[in-house]
Amino acid sequence: MAADGALLELDAVVAGYEEVEGLRGVTLAVRAGEIACIIGANGAGKSTLLGSVFGMVTPRRGTIRFAG
């Protein structure tokens, strides 16, 4: 696990499909035992964010760390 206790960390993640960037510089941290909720309008990047975390979408820039 990371030094600050985060189980999941995203740092300046940029990702998308073809020429469309669905995420632009997303940074977040979720600690063990926390519950996080991703909300937003249609087309806001929720599915792109989750696809990036699960490895279904390759980030163009930034880092994603799970348990360190």
Side-chain angles (χ1 to χ4, degrees), residues 13-64:
V13 173
V14 176
Y17 303 93
E18 298 177 14
E19 70 278 349
V20 179
E21 281 188 351
L23 304 178
R24 295 184 192 110
V26 174
T27 298
L28 67 87
V30 181
R31 290 170 179 73
E34 288 185 333
I35 297 172
C37 179
I38 308 299
I39 59 173
N42 290 345
K46 301 175 300 291
S47 295
T48 304
L49 174 66
L50 292 176
S52 296
V53 169
F54 296 136
M56 298 167 59
V57 176
T58 303
R60 296 175 184 172
R61 288 186 295 277
T63 57
I64 300 173

Side-chain angles (χ1 to χ4, degrees), residues 1-15:
M1 212 177 319
D4 67 357
L7 184 61
L8 174 65
E9 295 177 281
L10 283 76
D11 185 27
V13 173
V14 176

